[in-house]
Amino acid sequence: MNYLAHVYLSGTNDLIKVGNFMADSVKGNQYLNYEKELQHGILLHRHIDSYTDAHPIYRQSKHRLHEKYGHYSGVIMDILYDHFLAKNWEKYSSISLPEFAINFYQILENNLDLLQEKTKKIVPYLVTQNWFESYASITGIEKILFQMDYKTHHRVAMQEAVVELKYYYQEFENEFTLFFEELMLSCEVKRAEF
């Protein structure tokens, strides 16, 4: 899952959301250097990643991309699944996506001092290009995939995955819906352990 799903699955605690958002930059036991709620966010992020990577439905979705995009098929699939979350947002939240996005961007601005430099560099792009709302459209997904491709020095032309997205759209959406219901339940259980 990508940024939108990670933040959404964090529940209502702002610091868990921040910890989840910055988790990719925190390696190994470095998470122990942070306060408890940030640790919980980092651990929740890791739970989401491992649960997602091992899930047969997600693997089925990702398999459609593997031949063309190889190692990057997981990165692409995470973004495509965020598309279906954003597109169907009203099914999952009583707060509108624009309001959710603005609220989280403000949470990040208020907690910039907690983020590592690598993560801080992402924040201006996330906010000015409004990634959370961009996920809802295929055009927005294409732009985000292009940015990811730029970041990886154009190894696999990730933005071309919109072709597969359009071709397998119904299959991807059905798989996302089934998978995400299970992921939400798993995250509820995980958050209750904190």
Side-chain angles (χ1 to χ4, degrees):
M1 306 306 292
N2 208 263
Y3 293 121
L4 179 60
H6 274 289
V7 175
Y8 170 78
L9 292 166
S10 296
T12 57
N13 184 298
D14 290 353
L15 288 180
I16 291 178
K17 289 177 184 178
V18 172
N20 200 332
F21 176 77
M22 70 184 204
D24 280 333
S25 298
V26 180
K27 304 303 176 197
N29 287 336
Q30 288 176 354
Y31 78 95
L32 294 170
N33 299 330
Y34 295 94
E35 61 183 271
K36 278 286 180 222
E37 290 170 315
L38 291 171
Q39 288 183 27
H40 293 162
I42 294 163
L43 293 174
L44 180 60
H45 183 106
R46 292 175 181 180
H47 170 78
I48 292 166
D49 282 356
S50 60
Y51 182 92
T52 299
D53 290 343
H55 200 286
I57 295 175
Y58 176 83
R59 291 168 71 90
Q60 182 178 334
S61 291
K62 188 173 90 165
H63 182 72
R64 288 190 193 96
L65 303 175
H66 195 268
E67 187 177 334
K68 185 173 178 184
Y69 303 101
H71 167 73
Y72 296 99
S73 58
V75 174
I76 295 166
M77 203 64 245
D78 288 350
I79 293 168
L80 299 189
Y81 267 23
D82 260 16
H83 165 66
F84 293 110
L85 175 57
K87 178 193 170 219
N88 298 296
W89 185 259
E90 67 285 346
K91 283 174 54 176
Y92 301 103
S93 179
S94 57
I95 299 167
S96 72
L97 182 55
E99 186 180 347
F100 182 86
I102 289 167
N103 287 345
F104 181 64
Y105 301 158
Q106 190 59 58
I107 290 166
L108 283 181
E109 294 292 338
N110 294 345
N111 292 283
L112 274 178
D113 57 314
L114 300 175
L115 304 178
Q116 311 88 329
E117 287 308 312
K118 184 179 174 184
T119 308
K120 279 182 190 175
K121 289 177 183 175
I122 297 169
V123 174
Y125 299 103
L126 177 82
V127 174
T128 58
Q129 297 172 16
N130 195 1
W131 285 2
F132 281 8
E133 287 188 73
S134 293
Y135 288 128
S137 73
I138 291 176
T139 305
I141 288 294
E142 190 170 18
K143 286 179 186 170
I144 289 165
L145 287 170
F146 180 81
Q147 289 166 343
M148 294 298 288
D149 195 57
Y150 176 79
K151 210 169 130 180
T152 60
H153 308 288
H154 306 290
R155 290 192 180 119
V156 294
M158 284 190 227
Q159 68 278 9
E160 291 178 11
V162 295
V163 173
E164 287 83 2
L165 173 61
K166 290 174 183 175
Y167 189 79
Y168 296 109
Y169 198 86
Q170 200 56 60
E171 292 92 333
F172 282 140
E173 186 162 22
N174 292 344
E175 289 159 2
F176 166 79
T177 303
L178 292 171
F179 165 75
F180 201 65
E181 290 296 328
E182 295 181 25
L183 179 59
M184 285 191 299
L185 289 172
S186 177
C187 288
E188 278 180 38
V189 171
K190 187 68 179 173
R191 289 195 314 266
E193 294 174 4
F194 298 145

